[in-house]
């Protein structure tokens, strides 16, 4: 289910000069923000939770997920270079699974690691806040990568759709419409973090059992459907 050649090509595409520069911007902003907040506000648990929840989980993680998830396959489909990969003797679900693993790895490195560092800077992991939000970033990275990889497989406008979901649905509707929060990867990941952090430091509108089921279901369903869509993609010689 994992092909090293596909993985190497995907890493090269995601970590190319232009895309890598974009991936570094948000983590750098988070760390700069953490340093500034620590200098001016000191080590405050609630402030640390607000920064990590409001910027790292609500903004940085989904945006990096969009870049990594859609970038793992979308550009290849858009420019037609995917045909060279599909012509190889590699099963198409294997291609999807390999690209998902790469997207997850890239999203975790560029989101979970900076979240941990920022948490340690903000309050030294007081109330387990740094660890809790790092775990939230890790589990969210998996679901976001699968969801946005699927979007990259089925739509040429995957980046736009991903940004609408991340910035409009989760950030805007999620803050205004309580029911919308149930269908939010952000809230599912916060449910996991809530069990790790100190009392009242992290809150979620979704219970942990439901959040766990939804995280697993979205990841599995998105990966399976992306594999099916890629399998249905016909090469010119297959017509």
């Amino acid at each position: 289910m994992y092909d090293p050649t596909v993985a190497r090509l995907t890493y090269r595409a995601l970590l190319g000069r232009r895309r890598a520069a974009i991936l570094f911007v948000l983590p750098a902003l988070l760390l700069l923000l953490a340093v500034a907040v620590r200098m001016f506000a000191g080590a405050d648990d609630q402030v640390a939770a607000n920064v990590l929840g409001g910027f790292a989980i609500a903004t940085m993680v989904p945006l990096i997920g969009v870049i990594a998830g859609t970038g793992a396959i979308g550009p290849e489909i858009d420019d037609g270079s995917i045909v060279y990969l599909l012509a190889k003797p590699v099963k198409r679900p294997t291609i999807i699974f390999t690209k998902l693993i790469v997207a997850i790895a890239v999203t975790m490195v560029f989101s979970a690691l900076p979240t941990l560092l920022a948490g340690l800077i903000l309050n030294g992991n007081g109330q387990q806040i740094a660890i809790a939000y790092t775990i939230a970033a890790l589990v969210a990275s998996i679901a976001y990568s699968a969801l946005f990889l699927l979007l990259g497989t089925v739509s040429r406008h995957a980046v736009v759709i991903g940004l609408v979901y991340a910035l409009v649905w989760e950030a805007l509707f999620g803050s205004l419409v309580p029911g919308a929060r149930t269908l939010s990867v952000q809230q599912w990941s916060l449910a996991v973090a809530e069990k790790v952090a100190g009392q009242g430091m992290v809150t979620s509108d979704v219970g942990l059992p439901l959040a766990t089921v939804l995280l697993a279901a979205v990841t599995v369903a998105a990966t399976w459907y992306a594999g099916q869509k890629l399998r249905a993609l016909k090469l010119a010689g297959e017509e």
Side-chain angles (χ1 to χ4, degrees):
M1 291 297 293
Y2 181 85
D3 187 274
T5 301
V6 174
R8 184 174 65 254
L9 294 173
T10 307
Y11 274 119
R12 185 181 301 172
L14 287 179
L15 300 177
R17 183 176 303 176
R18 182 179 302 175
R19 198 175 298 273
I22 298 174
L23 287 171
F24 274 107
V25 169
L26 288 171
L29 286 176
L30 174 62
L31 294 176
L32 288 174
L33 178 62
V35 171
V37 169
R38 179 62 185 265
M39 289 175 60
F40 290 106
D44 185 288
D45 294 341
Q46 189 58 58
V47 171
N50 291 341
V51 171
L52 295 180
F55 186 84
I57 301 301
T59 302
M60 183 183 72
V61 179
L63 289 182
I64 291 177
V66 170
I67 296 170
T70 61
I73 195 170
E76 291 177 294
I77 294 178
D78 290 343
D79 63 20
S81 61
I82 189 70
V83 298
Y84 298 104
L85 184 58
L86 297 181
K88 303 297 182 182
V90 180
K91 294 181 179 179
R92 298 184 185 187
T94 298
I95 294 174
I96 289 295
F97 184 77
T98 302
K99 288 181 174 293
L100 174 62
I101 295 299
V102 173
I104 289 173
V106 170
T107 306
M108 285 182 172
V109 168
F110 284 92
S111 61
L113 182 57
T115 298
L116 175 61
L117 294 175
L120 294 176
I121 292 170
L122 286 164
N123 75 333
N125 195 37
Q127 298 287 327
Q128 294 292 305
I129 291 174
I131 297 298
Y133 279 106
T134 299
I135 293 174
L138 288 171
V139 297
S141 295
I142 298 173
Y144 280 131
S145 295
L147 186 61
F148 296 136
L149 179 66
L150 171 62
L151 286 177
T153 306
V154 302
S155 175
R156 290 182 178 271
H157 307 290
V159 174
V160 175
I161 298 172
L163 291 175
V164 169
Y165 173 79
L167 300 180
V168 178
W169 178 264
E170 291 203 337
L172 181 59
F173 282 92
S175 63
L176 299 176
V177 184
R181 298 170 189 164
T182 305
L183 300 177
S184 167
V185 174
Q186 176 186 333
Q187 291 297 321
W188 304 342
S189 64
L190 289 176
V192 180
E194 186 177 10
K195 296 301 179 181
V196 179
Q199 184 68 30
M201 290 292 102
V202 182
T203 59
S204 173
D205 292 329
V206 182
L208 181 59
L210 177 59
T212 303
V213 171
L214 290 172
L215 283 166
V218 165
T219 301
V220 172
T223 304
W224 174 82
Y225 191 60
Q228 295 302 112
K229 293 298 292 184
L230 192 64
R231 184 181 307 210
L233 186 65
K234 297 293 186 181
L235 298 177
E238 295 176 340
E239 299 293 344

